[in-house]
Amino acid sequence: MTDEELRQLAPLGYYKWHWQLFRANRRVQRMDYIARGLYRELLDEQWSDGSISSDVAELADICGCPVEVMQEKWPQIAGCFLEDGRGRLYNQTLEDQRTVKDAIRVKLAKNGGSGGSQKAFNAKLKLATSKQPLAPASNCYDDASNCKKEAHEPQASTENQSLSGNSLATASNCHIEEKSREEKSRETTNAHRKDGDEREDASEVKKAARLKNLTAWAERCHAAYPRKIAKQDSLRTFIKHISKVGKERKISDDSAGAYMLGRVEAYRDSSLVANTPADKIPYPATWANAGHYEDEDAAWTVASAPRPSSKPFEPGINIRPSGDPSQAESDRAFIEFARSQRDKGVISAHDLAVLNRLENSNTAPN
């Protein structure tokens, strides 16, 4: 089956509803009952058409609700859909299920086509003539040939006529045996299909359980990260890298999740984060995609900045002798400078002593 034929496959009349994943999803939990109903309607529309419109008015028409209601509820629903680059929206989980189902349908169609061709070829080999209607089986060819010969010799003896009757009976038995074999073959095929469906269902359940476990670890990593932003991208990224760590290190998902959580907490508690403004800390998805969880702890250590030492006041070259005409101006400049240094906690002992003396004098400005 070509890609064009695959695209022309009519959508199945059903799809699996993973109610556990639906109810466990944080975004769904924040929806009210109206938003959940609209979300289900839009999922059905996507399954039918492959995607949904991004226009709120069209979405309201699909769900049969007022535009005002859709405008109010759409912010709760929008995060469950992604844009496909053509202005259309789709739910990733639903599309993954469609891909799996269509692959199975294509495989069955190919197997059915090849099986039908072989069956037609076998049928041509076993076609009976009008004189020999009951001879489809290969082990009846010899007796059927006798039947055909007797049919062209009307003057044959009674013995030959008896042989012809036996041939027809044998051919009839062969026809019954052939039909029985076909029925058994169909039963075997159906049993194999049922077994395959059961294995597929078991595999889907196993995948859903693993995804739920990975999501729980990703939630904990996001909660521990020092900058909690873009949660959906964060969860998807942490799930991907936890799975990657488990595969590369050949450890379980729980061990990989615990490792990732430990690295996130170590980064959060590092001096690098403590000395970085909150808006300069990378997004959690950016941090994980860059592989920073594999950094050594030393990379996140920043030496404490030394407190700058303050030299004695220079603008006025320290305190001038009493009676100097510029003394008052120098005092005012010094007091302004020293107060700012004191507020920053970097004033020298010398300047602090002078500031205290000037502030206690009657000439200190307020």
Side-chain angles (χ1 to χ4, degrees):
M1 181 171 288
T2 64
D3 292 340
E4 181 63 27
E5 291 172 329
L6 179 60
R7 285 193 291 270
Q8 294 176 358
L9 281 176
L12 289 172
Y14 63 91
Y15 58 87
K16 292 182 179 179
W17 184 253
H18 300 287
W19 62 270
Q20 288 177 313
L21 295 180
F22 178 79
R23 296 181 65 181
N25 188 281
R26 296 293 185 187
R27 189 175 296 277
V28 172
Q29 290 175 0
R30 289 193 290 268
M31 294 181 187
D32 58 28
Y33 68 95
I34 297 177
R36 293 189 186 192
L38 296 176
Y39 179 36
R40 293 292 299 271
E41 288 287 342
L42 295 178
L43 288 177
D44 290 346
E45 180 71 13
Q46 177 189 329
W47 186 258
S48 174
D49 292 352
S51 61
I52 61 174
S53 172
S54 58
D55 183 72
V56 175
E58 291 185 26
L59 298 178
D61 183 62
I62 292 171
C63 297
C65 70
V67 176
E68 294 77 10
V69 174
M70 181 59 72
Q71 288 176 337
E72 178 185 355
K73 304 301 179 184
W74 179 242
Q76 301 179 36
I77 306 171
C80 298
F81 293 92
L82 302 174
E83 188 172 346
D84 64 0
R86 298 179 293 117
R88 304 283 294 179
L89 304 176
Y90 68 96
N91 179 273
Q92 186 64 59
T93 302
L94 198 62
E95 282 308 298
D96 291 344
Q97 185 179 153
R98 186 198 303 276
T99 301
V100 172
K101 290 296 184 183
D102 285 349
I104 294 174
R105 295 168 69 190
V106 170
K107 182 178 180 180
L108 292 177
K110 288 182 177 180
N111 292 343
S114 59
S117 300
Q118 184 63 36
K119 188 174 181 180
F121 176 74
N122 292 340
K124 288 181 181 180
L125 295 179
K126 300 174 183 179
L127 285 176
T129 64
S130 59
K131 300 295 184 179
Q132 180 201 341
L134 299 175
S138 58
N139 58 356
C140 299
Y141 285 165
D142 293 339
D143 291 334
S145 299
N146 292 335
C147 296
K148 183 175 180 181
K149 181 177 180 181
E150 295 301 329
H152 288 285
E153 296 178 0
Q155 302 299 327
S157 64
T158 303
E159 182 181 354
N160 288 338
Q161 290 176 2
S162 176
L163 177 61
S164 177
N166 292 335
S167 299
L168 290 176
T170 304
S172 178
N173 290 335
C174 292
H175 176 71
I176 294 173
E177 291 176 0
E178 178 69 17
K179 185 175 181 180
S180 177
R181 283 195 295 269
E182 290 179 357
E183 290 177 351
K184 290 181 179 179
S185 177
R186 280 196 297 270
E187 290 175 357
T188 302
T189 301
N190 291 337
H192 288 167
R193 287 183 180 177
K194 183 177 180 181
D195 185 50
D197 290 342
E198 290 177 352
R199 285 198 300 270
E200 178 192 350
D201 290 342
S203 176
E204 290 290 337
V205 171
K206 186 176 180 180
K207 288 180 180 178
R210 180 171 185 257
L211 178 60
K212 183 178 180 181
N213 187 39
L214 289 173
T215 302
W217 280 110
E219 289 271 6
R220 295 175 65 182
C221 291
H222 178 79
Y225 193 77
R227 189 179 185 187
K228 297 168 181 58
I229 192 170
K231 182 175 182 180
Q232 294 304 314
D233 286 342
S234 172
L235 294 182
R236 281 193 293 268
T237 304
F238 277 125
I239 288 173
K240 179 179 73 173
H241 285 280
I242 290 172
S243 179
K244 177 183 176 183
V245 168
K247 183 177 180 181
E248 290 178 349
R249 303 191 176 203
K250 297 181 180 180
I251 57 179
S252 67
D253 289 340
D254 287 333
S255 297
Y259 166 80
M260 183 66 70
L261 179 60
R263 299 308 294 155
V264 171
E265 291 176 341
Y267 175 70
R268 177 197 63 193
D269 299 335
S270 67
S271 58
L272 176 63
V273 172
N275 288 276
T276 302
D279 61 339
K280 300 299 182 182
I281 296 175
Y283 279 36
T286 303
W287 182 85
N289 281 329
H292 285 306
Y293 55 86
E294 296 179 339
D295 294 347
E296 295 185 2
D297 291 351
W300 304 336
T301 302
V302 176
S304 300
R307 299 180 63 177
S309 60
S310 175
K311 297 180 180 179
F313 181 65
E314 294 183 355
I317 312 301
N318 297 325
I319 304 302
R320 296 175 184 272
S322 178
D324 193 305
S326 61
Q327 180 65 46
E329 181 181 352
S330 178
D331 286 347
R332 284 194 296 272
F334 173 79
I335 290 171
E336 181 180 353
F337 169 79
R339 282 176 175 173
S340 67
Q341 295 295 92
R342 184 180 61 186
D343 293 341
K344 295 178 182 177
V346 294
I347 191 169
S348 67
H350 172 271
D351 287 348
L352 181 61
V354 175
L355 175 64
N356 290 335
R357 179 174 61 79
L358 291 176
E359 285 182 335
N360 293 330
S361 69
N362 296 329
T363 60
N366 296 323

